[in-house]
């Protein structure tokens, strides 16, 4: 039986910060674009740009490009009451289960992890149930705040190496955050359809000071546990709904960020029928290097970044 997750029609304010969240799901991992979970880490709200009839226009990476999963073999999809992206930071070994890095606001999605997905629902590496009670955060409050939007979740088993999957190296500190240059995730694109492949896009690092300045007047406080990026071009690629928890990496293969939130399309005059998150503004992620000690402790040092 299909379960519908229609967000409440609630006007919050022109702050309109939206999580870069996820598609609601029916029948396992099949996406039904007319039933959307649209959550905000402070309030559950409905973007006033949308009506109850056009809620299928919340999107994933807009103006991205197709990518083969083999190019990014650490990217996974988390599916439960909703859908998020994530990354493998420990493949597991023996009785030690694999560990996935994602966004803290993706907890409702963390029921099954899919590996090897070139398209949502087409995953050659298999499906892995999440271990009960294994979702772990550090200081995140939902609802209540944007900061500390990072989490790990453990699987019930390891991920076999013959799947082609591998763990991504996490940033060892925040000193090299400027190396970040790519975003990756699963979600609906600017055509409002599900891409046939994993989506990715190059992006540019934005310092926290500059990010705060660009977001001035919109009620956002950029904290040290955050990292910012912004696409270039016209239109500029941007992450949005469906990409939460996805990895931000550098050309060196190190993960520096986790997709968290962005500014809603209503602010800044963006086309409301394209990207839900306004490409004129930076996107904000959780700062992986900031959480290195917590992450490494949680996985007992089983990552090259530890």
């Amino acid at each position: 039986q299909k379960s519908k997750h229609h967000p409440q029609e609630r006007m919050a304010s022109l702050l309109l910060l939206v999580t870069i969240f996820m598609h609601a799901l029916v029948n396992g991992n099949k996406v039904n674009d007319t039933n959307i979970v649209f959550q905000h880490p402070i309030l559950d709200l409905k973007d006033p740009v949308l009506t109850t009839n056009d809620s299928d226009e919340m999107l994933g990476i807009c103006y991205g490009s197709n990518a083969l999963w083999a190019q990014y073999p650490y990217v996974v999809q988390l599916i439960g009451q909703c859908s998020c992206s994530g990354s493998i930071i420990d493949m597991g070994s023996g009785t030690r289960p694999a560990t996935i890095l994602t966004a803290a606001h993706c907890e409702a999605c963390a029921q099954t992890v899919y590996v090897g997905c070139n398209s949502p629902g087409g995953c050659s590496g298999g499906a892995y149930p999440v271990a009960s009670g294994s979702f772990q955060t550090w200081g995140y409050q939902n609802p209540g705040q944007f900061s500390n939007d990072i989490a790990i979740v453990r699987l019930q088993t390891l991920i076999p190496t013959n799947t082609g999957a591998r763990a991504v190296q996490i940033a060892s500190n925040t000193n090299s955050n400027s190396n970040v240059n790519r975003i990756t995730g699963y979600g609906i694109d600017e055509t409002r359809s599900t891409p046939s492949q994993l989506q990715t896009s190059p992006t540019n690092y934005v310092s926290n000071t500059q990010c705060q300045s660009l977001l001035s007047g919109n009620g956002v406080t950029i904290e040290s546990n955050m990292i910012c990026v912004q696409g270039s071009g016209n239109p500029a690629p941007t992450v949005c709904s469906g990409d939460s928890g996805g990895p931000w990496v550098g050309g060196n293969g190190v993960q520096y960020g986790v997709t968290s939130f962005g500014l809603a399309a209503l602010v800044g005059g963006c086309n409301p029928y394209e990207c839900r998150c306004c490409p004129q503004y930076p996107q904000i992620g959780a700062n992986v290097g900031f959480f290195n000690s917590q992450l490494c402790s949680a996985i007992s040092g089983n990552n090259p970044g530890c």
Side-chain angles (χ1 to χ4, degrees), residues 182-264:
R182 182 160 297 276
I183 54 178
T184 308
Y186 294 101
I188 299 173
D189 63 20
E190 69 280 357
T191 68
R192 305 182 223 169
S193 60
T194 302
S196 60
Q197 292 180 231
L198 174 69
Q199 294 292 291
T200 187
S201 175
T203 195
N204 301 308
Y205 171 74
V206 179
S207 71
N208 282 19
T209 300
Q210 184 182 8
C211 189
Q212 184 68 75
S213 178
L214 290 169
L215 294 170
S216 177
N218 288 301
V220 185
T221 300
I222 301 301
E223 303 178 17
S224 56
N225 61 67
M226 301 174 183
I227 183 174
C228 300
V229 296
Q230 188 170 20
S232 60
N234 187 20
T238 176
V239 288
C240 206
S241 303
D243 295 314
S244 284
W248 298 2
V249 299
N252 54 4
V254 174
Q255 182 173 351
Y256 295 99
V258 173
T259 299
S260 179
F261 70 97
L263 211 61

Side-chain angles (χ1 to χ4, degrees), residues 16-17 42 46-47 59 67 72 136 149 151 182 247 260 269 274:
L16 292 176
L17 286 170
I42 294 178
K46 183 175 179 61
D47 186 338
L59 308 172
Y72 309 99
Q136 184 176 354
D149 191 13
R182 182 160 297 276
S260 179
E274 293 181 356

Side-chain angles (χ1 to χ4, degrees), residues 25 27-30 69 74-80 83-84 86 88 100 109 111-117 119-130 155 159 186:
L25 303 170
N27 300 327
N29 63 337
K30 182 179 179 181
W69 175 78
Y74 45 81
V75 182
V76 297
Q77 189 175 28
L78 288 73
I79 293 179
S83 174
C84 270
I88 304 167
I100 306 301
C109 308
Q111 295 181 17
T112 304
V113 169
Y114 290 82
V115 175
C117 303
S119 63
C123 307
S124 62
Y128 300 84
V130 165
L155 307 185
I159 298 173
Y186 294 101

Side-chain angles (χ1 to χ4, degrees), residues 40-303:
H40 183 292
I42 294 178
L43 294 172
D44 288 338
L45 65 89
K46 183 175 179 61
D47 186 338
V49 171
L50 303 177
T51 70
T52 54
N53 294 322
D54 64 11
S55 61
D56 59 330
E57 290 162 8
M58 284 170 277
L59 308 172
I61 290 183
C62 293
Y63 308 107
S65 58
N66 291 336
L68 294 175
W69 175 78
Q71 296 174 283
Y72 309 99
Y74 45 81
V75 182
V76 297
Q77 189 175 28
L78 288 73
I79 293 179
Q81 299 174 28
C82 47
S83 174
C84 270
S85 301
S87 58
I88 304 167
I89 61 170
D90 179 13
M91 292 279 288
S93 178
T95 59
R96 188 181 80 245
T99 301
I100 306 301
L101 181 63
T102 189
H105 73 260
C106 288
E107 184 171 8
C109 308
Q111 295 181 17
T112 304
V113 169
Y114 290 82
V115 175
C117 303
N118 272 322
S119 63
C123 307
S124 62
Y128 300 84
V130 165
S132 177
S134 68
F135 198 88
Q136 184 176 354
T137 63
W138 294 273
Y140 178 74
Q141 298 177 21
N142 185 17
Q145 61 183 51
F146 290 106
S147 62
N148 303 312
D149 191 13
I150 194 169
I152 60 165
V153 64
R154 292 180 177 84
L155 307 185
Q156 293 182 9
T157 64
L158 56 74
I159 298 173
T161 56
N162 63 9
T163 60
R166 69 171 179 82
V168 65
Q169 180 175 333
I170 60 174
S172 58
N173 53 55
T174 62
N175 297 335
S176 302
N177 280 353
S178 60
N179 287 332
V180 65
N181 64 9
R182 182 160 297 276
I183 54 178
T184 308
Y186 294 101
I188 299 173
D189 63 20
E190 69 280 357
T191 68
R192 305 182 223 169
S193 60
T194 302
S196 60
Q197 292 180 231
L198 174 69
Q199 294 292 291
T200 187
S201 175
T203 195
N204 301 308
Y205 171 74
V206 179
S207 71
N208 282 19
T209 300
Q210 184 182 8
C211 189
Q212 184 68 75
S213 178
L214 290 169
L215 294 170
S216 177
N218 288 301
V220 185
T221 300
I222 301 301
E223 303 178 17
S224 56
N225 61 67
M226 301 174 183
I227 183 174
C228 300
V229 296
Q230 188 170 20
S232 60
N234 187 20
T238 176
V239 288
C240 206
S241 303
D243 295 314
S244 284
W248 298 2
V249 299
N252 54 4
V254 174
Q255 182 173 351
Y256 295 99
V258 173
T259 299
S260 179
F261 70 97
L263 211 61
L266 183 62
V267 181
C270 292
N271 184 342
Y273 294 100
E274 293 181 356
C275 304
R276 286 271 65 77
C277 292
C278 191
Q280 281 93 316
Y281 292 94
Q283 294 97 57
I284 299 88
N287 188 338
V288 173
F290 181 89
F291 293 94
N292 177 273
S293 62
Q294 294 95 323
L295 294 171
C296 288
S297 176
I299 60 175
S300 301
N302 290 296
N303 184 281

